[in-house]
Amino acid sequence: MTVLDTRTVPDKTAQAAVLARLRATHRATTRRTTIAVSVLSTLVVALLVASVLLGGVGRVDPADVLPAAFGLRTGLADYMIFQIRMPRALAAMLAGALFGLSGALYQRLIRNPLATPDIVGISAGAGAGATTVFLFAPALAFGAPVAAILGSFILLGAIYALSSRRGTVDTYRLVLVGIGLSATCVAYTNYLFTVADKHSIAIAMRWMIGSVNGVDWDGVTTLTVGAVVCGLGALFLNRQLSSLSLGDELATGLGTSVSRIRVAALMLGAAAAALATSVVGPIGFVSLVSGPIAVRLVGADRAVGLSVLVGAALVLGADVLAQNAPLISPVPTGVLTALLGAPYFVWLILRHRPEASA
Amino acid sequence: MTHQIEARAISTGYGKSLIIDELSVAIEAGRITALVGPNACGKSTLLKSIARLLPIAAGSVLLEGTDIHSLPTRQVARRLGILPQSPIAPESITVGDLVWRGRHPHRQFGQRRTEADEVVIVEALMATGTAELVDRPVDQLSGGQRQRVWIALALAQDTPTLLLDEPTTYLDIAHQIEVMDLLADLNEQTGKTIVLVSHDLNQAALYASSIIAMRGGSIVRQGTPDEVLTEQTVADVFGLECIVVPHPRTARPQIFPLGRRDLTQEK
């Protein structure tokens, strides 16, 4: 048999050259990630500052902004800055981060850019849970986030049970079952509106449109805890996820517990989407667009992490626009993201082709 | 002769229907073994069951003498590599980064890539002739290049045993031979045990030292190419009439199928 001997007589110089190129490639991806992270972080900070300074309705003397932010000024400035604008800006940033993370996780797991928690119905489950609390137990401390997580987990469980066949989950079925079940959740929520009292309905309605308007520090606390926990979880799962993206069989061959990791990641994504939804409502399309934007910037391998920053920048940016853009402002953030996201969604469907496989 | 892999009375299938029922087989260390048989004969199923990609309903699979299901999956992954039929390349990943994934079972949590990892990756790239492609995105490669990159990933996993499910499907004849040569080199130079599912009896006869012929979920014959590739066995396994002649260079058996038509008649 032919022997093309590359191993027994290793060519040291050729080997060194390949090693140099391998390292250069690795460095290039790392550098690209560093640049993307720095630019996006700067953008997020700039948008945070812009959101607090501009602030939409209500005038505050610029000289009062900084003292108020640190609680040194009382009266109107303190109220505007500390009670309204800061929680609002922080909520936009954190909710965006959570939406971005949840979307990118699902897109990666299901290997389909359309399969985000809001499209497959997880968010509808979260919404049904949160609405129940809004309408019947509005005074319950942290009732909405907890109910939203419960609702999303129940829906995820149902979707998972209905879409698994022969012990494996068919992702195509998962998306279809999710769309079906999400309709059930919407029907349930609509039913609740027919039996609840007017005042609660008004609150729930405003929440359902999706807006960071009127988020208080409790909401910011919920979002912060959520962002930290989900962020750490994603960090922990990251390497297993990158192995999973090679397909279930190769991932198993590489020593990944495929079903365990998948369930953990699906739950993590559901919890992230549910927490964000419970505080700011279903701000549409952020989870859909963040992942693909992150993939464009740094490649699929590092996209899940970067989508956190992309999502934060998107919601913050959309909110600054929603508050300050001439003619349209003020509009709820969710309306604006939907206006911008819907065309993208249509474009995605029109150009979508199944991911190439070897 | 030691057995690298042994399946003892395994039964497996999808859902309720069993594709393999109480099958036993032993695969010898340091050899190339080819699994052949007609479509749906269970050869891929057997490969997946011994690689723990499919759960087995009964029986046991021993890897180097230890029950594969009693070992943590990462430990198995350091001893047994499998290249499935259609792995997925993540969007816009480079060759170097893809092959790097093969190091997964050797890495501890939070550990960065080490120089030892890099050396293994470079060796895998060079052995498969893909070193030139290291910084290219995988989705821009040709089918043959891509298959060699996948094999490089499997080599980077650095396991004494490597299973491959139809590694030459979708490749043209030159690339098929290139891949088979590569596997033969690896087997010869590193003593790697290689098991592959093949559709090409002639290539199996040329490159494998042991052939397992399957039909209907059970093994019809196992042995050297000369023992297995007989006119009788091919007729039993594939229901195909053929002539077996020795290869002009290597004297390994090669088959020439005889169809229903008499092709000696000139039109």
Side-chain angles (χ1 to χ4, degrees), chain A residues 249, chain B residues 10 12-14 19-20 23 27 34-56 82-86 163-170 195-199 212-219:
Chain A
E249 292 191 337
Chain B
I10 58 167
T12 182
Y14 302 88
I19 291 174
I20 287 174
L23 180 147
I27 285 158
L35 291 171
V36 300
N39 292 335
C41 70
K43 52 192 193 300
S44 271
T45 308
L46 175 61
L47 196 81
K48 285 180 195 170
S49 325
I50 57 184
R52 69 166 171 356
L53 301 190
L54 275 180
I56 48 175
I82 176 154
L83 185 59
Q85 220 178 99
S86 36
L163 315 181
L164 304 103
D165 196 352
E166 295 191 23
T168 57
T169 323
Y170 313 125
V195 184
L196 56 98
V197 169
S198 176
H199 262 305
I212 297 172
M214 293 182 67
R215 185 192 173 95
S218 41
I219 292 174

Side-chain angles (χ1 to χ4, degrees), chain A residues 104-115 169 171 175 241-251 258 262 352-356, chain B residues 86-91:
Chain A
L105 266 178
Y106 270 57
Q107 285 163 333
R108 183 120 210 236
L109 278 171
I110 304 178
R111 296 187 201 102
N112 186 330
L114 297 173
V169 174
T171 51
V175 172
L241 284 176
S242 75
S243 161
L244 213 58
S245 67
L246 302 172
D248 290 1
E249 292 191 337
L250 189 51
V258 169
R262 180 161 32 227
H352 178 61
R353 53 187 161 74
E355 203 170 303
Chain B
S86 36
I88 299 166
E91 213 176 316

Side-chain angles (χ1 to χ4, degrees), chain A residues 1-8 11 14-16 18-23 25-26 29 108 111 166 235-237 239-257 295-296 299-302 351 355-358, chain B residues 14-15 48 52-53 73-74 77 80 82 84 86-92 94 96-98 101-102 104-105 107-111 113 115 118 121-123 125-127 131-132 134-135 146 150 153 157 181 184-185 188-190 206-207 252:
Chain A
M1 247 160 275
T2 57
V3 175
L4 210 149
D5 223 308
T6 45
R7 281 207 159 202
T8 46
D11 186 342
Q15 217 166 18
V18 178
L19 184 60
R21 279 179 70 188
L22 182 72
R23 283 184 179 156
T25 318
H26 186 58
T29 10
R108 183 120 210 236
R111 296 187 201 102
R166 297 163 172 174
L235 204 66
F236 189 74
L237 288 177
R239 192 190 301 165
Q240 313 284 342
L241 284 176
S242 75
S243 161
L244 213 58
S245 67
L246 302 172
D248 290 1
E249 292 191 337
L250 189 51
T252 308
L254 288 170
T256 305
S257 314
V295 170
R296 277 281 156 80
D301 226 16
R302 297 156 189 245
R351 60 138 247 167
E355 203 170 303
S357 59
Chain B
Y14 302 88
K48 285 180 195 170
R52 69 166 171 356
L53 301 190
T73 180
R74 278 169 78 85
L80 174 84
I82 176 154
S86 36
I88 299 166
E91 213 176 316
S92 64
T94 61
D97 280 344
L98 187 69
R101 303 285 180 88
H104 181 80
R107 292 169 73 205
Q108 301 302 321
F109 181 76
Q111 188 189 315
R113 58 166 85 189
E115 197 164 335
E118 288 177 331
I121 295 170
V122 167
E123 278 179 3
L125 289 167
M126 290 181 78
E132 276 308 301
V134 63
D135 39 22
R146 209 179 281 198
W150 285 117
L153 181 149
Q157 198 177 339
D181 275 343
D185 290 349
E188 203 170 88
Q189 290 158 23
T190 63
L206 283 178
Y207 287 93
R252 298 261 185 138

Side-chain angles (χ1 to χ4, degrees), chain B residues 179-246:
Chain B
V179 166
M180 295 306 287
D181 275 343
L182 166 64
L183 295 176
D185 290 349
L186 285 168
N187 167 256
E188 203 170 88
Q189 290 158 23
T190 63
K192 210 183 267 290
T193 307
I194 292 173
V195 184
L196 56 98
V197 169
S198 176
H199 262 305
D200 192 314
L201 292 176
N202 290 338
Q203 282 178 20
L206 283 178
Y207 287 93
S209 57
S210 171
I211 295 183
I212 297 172
M214 293 182 67
R215 185 192 173 95
S218 41
I219 292 174
V220 179
R221 261 201 108 131
Q222 177 175 12
T224 63
D226 283 316
E227 288 162 0
V228 178
L229 280 200
T230 62
E231 285 159 16
Q232 187 58 49
T233 312
V234 173
D236 289 348
V237 170
F238 289 93
L240 175 76
E241 210 182 314
C242 73
I243 302 172
V244 174
V245 292

Side-chain angles (χ1 to χ4, degrees), chain A residues 81-318:
Chain A
I81 300 297
F82 196 72
Q83 299 302 331
I84 306 247
R85 291 184 186 179
M86 279 175 63
R88 174 185 189 131
L90 288 172
M93 176 184 79
L94 293 165
L98 285 167
F99 280 131
L101 176 69
S102 73
L105 266 178
Y106 270 57
Q107 285 163 333
R108 183 120 210 236
L109 278 171
I110 304 178
R111 296 187 201 102
N112 186 330
L114 297 173
T116 55
D118 43 351
I119 309 288
V120 302
I122 306 286
S123 304
T131 315
T132 312
V133 171
F134 279 132
L135 294 181
F136 299 110
L140 203 64
F142 297 104
V146 172
I149 290 184
L150 274 180
S152 72
F153 280 3
I154 290 172
L155 207 79
L156 177 62
I159 294 173
Y160 204 80
L162 289 173
S163 61
S164 65
R165 262 196 302 197
R166 297 163 172 174
T168 56
V169 174
D170 177 13
T171 51
Y172 183 66
R173 266 169 77 92
L174 189 138
V175 172
L176 290 183
V177 169
I179 290 170
L181 287 180
S182 122
T184 318
C185 287
V186 172
Y188 166 78
T189 313
N190 286 343
Y191 165 73
L192 289 188
F193 277 101
T194 65
V195 293
D197 69 277
K198 258 191 193 144
H199 178 66
S200 322
I201 289 177
I203 295 175
M205 279 298 271
R206 212 178 57 174
W207 169 83
M208 270 180 77
I209 295 166
S211 174
V212 291
N213 214 345
V215 175
D216 54 12
W217 282 103
D218 272 358
V220 174
T221 309
T222 307
L223 289 172
T224 309
V225 171
V228 169
V229 171
C230 294
L232 287 177
L235 204 66
F236 189 74
L237 288 177
N238 191 33
R239 192 190 301 165
Q240 313 284 342
L241 284 176
S242 75
S243 161
L244 213 58
S245 67
L246 302 172
D248 290 1
E249 292 191 337
L250 189 51
T252 308
L254 288 170
T256 305
S257 314
V258 169
S259 42
R260 215 182 303 165
I261 297 296
R262 180 161 32 227
V263 169
L266 284 173
M267 286 176 72
L268 189 74
L275 277 169
T277 308
S278 76
V279 177
V280 301
I283 293 184
F285 297 101
V286 176
S287 61
L288 184 77
V289 299
S290 301
I293 293 176
V295 170
R296 277 281 156 80
L297 293 175
V298 293
D301 226 16
R302 297 156 189 245
V304 173
L306 195 74
S307 62
V308 169
L309 284 172
V310 175
L314 279 176
V315 176
L316 260 172

